[in-house]
Amino acid sequence: MTGPASMVGAGWRRGWGRDEGGSISPFVVIVSLAIIMLAALVIDGGRQLNGKGRAIAYAQEAARAGAQAVDVTDPRLDLDVGLALRAAGEFCAQARAADAQLVVCRPNITTINDPAGTFRAVTVTAEVESDAILLGIIGRSILRSSGTALARPVSGISEADSGKVSTMGPPSVGPPSPGAPPSTAPTSVPTETMEPCIPRDEDEDADEDADGEDPGEGDDDGDDADGDDDDDLEVCPEPEPGSD
């Protein structure tokens, strides 16, 4: 007896025996590898540039530390070689102790020919190592970055650091004009004269005394003399409102 159930079972048995094999397109493989290499360029390339900057910074700071060792007995203020190497070496030791990725920090002394003469300078070579993230799949697991710097003491500027020549001359300052310097004081000072006068309070008291004086009493000669002097003076004017 053949029914729907037996037909489904026969179809399932025929499908089980089919070939399920397939293939991947070469385009997918190429695009996948390109994406991985682009990611490696962005990630590990950025780490490489970062290590390069750190190596240059370590070299510059170590060179500056060594350039501080100036031989003060030399009129040209040249380097003291022993002290310069020691100072740069101490900075390198401290930097390597603080940063395990700094594997090389080596100071040295070189000679520079300057228009003012021959001088010595400190050169430092630094190298930083970091682990790669994606480049390890092609066999490059370590990223190495190096940097070099030079420094020396300079007692004066012999030329512009940028190499540009100024087209403007120095400002000219003329000599002072002959004669006495101009005076800033005012030509005349206003003066105010003070005229003597009798205060108004005293004048009122004198009027009251005159009204209450007895006609039969005589005045002393000294009082008359004083009265004559006071009669010659005028009464002080009233002060204006708001004035002291």
Side-chain angles (χ1 to χ4, degrees):
M1 179 178 178
T2 304
S6 61
M7 293 177 62
V8 172
W12 179 80
R13 287 193 294 271
R14 287 196 298 270
W16 181 264
R18 287 187 304 177
D19 186 9
E20 297 292 338
S23 62
I24 186 172
S25 174
F27 175 76
V28 176
V29 177
I30 296 174
V31 171
S32 300
L33 291 177
I35 292 175
I36 294 175
M37 295 303 296
L38 181 60
L41 179 63
V42 173
I43 297 175
D44 291 334
R47 291 169 61 86
Q48 182 86 12
L49 292 177
N50 184 26
K52 181 76 172 179
R54 288 165 56 199
I56 294 176
Y58 282 130
Q60 288 177 344
E61 293 300 327
R64 291 191 186 101
Q68 301 298 321
V70 179
D71 186 4
V72 295
T73 61
D74 189 350
R76 304 180 306 163
L77 298 179
D78 202 1
L79 280 178
D80 188 328
V81 176
L83 293 178
L85 290 176
R86 188 182 310 156
E90 290 178 356
F91 181 88
C92 287
Q94 295 176 2
R96 293 187 63 180
D99 190 353
Q101 294 182 348
L102 179 62
V103 295
V104 175
C105 187
R106 183 174 54 253
N108 199 359
I109 298 295
T110 187
T111 302
I112 295 179
N113 293 324
D114 191 84
T118 302
F119 297 89
R120 288 170 291 192
V122 181
T123 58
V124 179
T125 301
E127 186 174 333
V128 174
E129 289 186 356
S130 58
D131 296 332
I133 296 178
L134 295 178
L135 291 180
I137 61 179
I138 61 175
R140 186 175 181 181
S141 59
I142 301 297
L143 302 176
R144 292 182 175 86
S145 305
S146 61
T148 305
L150 181 146
R152 72 178 181 92
V154 178
S155 58
I157 300 176
S158 57
E159 61 182 1
D161 295 337
S162 61
K164 298 180 180 179
V165 179
S166 177
T167 58
M168 299 179 60
S172 58
V173 180
S177 58
S183 176
T184 58
T187 55
S188 61
V189 179
T191 58
E192 183 178 357
T193 59
M194 302 295 293
E195 296 291 339
C197 62
I198 302 175
R200 301 186 65 84
D201 296 340
E202 296 182 1
D203 183 65
E204 293 176 357
D205 295 340
D207 294 341
E208 292 177 357
D209 294 341
D211 294 340
E213 185 179 359
D214 188 1
E217 294 181 358
D219 294 335
D220 192 14
D221 295 339
D223 294 340
D224 293 341
D226 295 339
D228 294 341
D229 295 339
D230 293 341
D231 293 340
D232 295 338
L233 300 178
E234 296 181 357
V235 180
C236 298
E238 295 184 358
E240 297 179 359
S243 62
D244 294 337

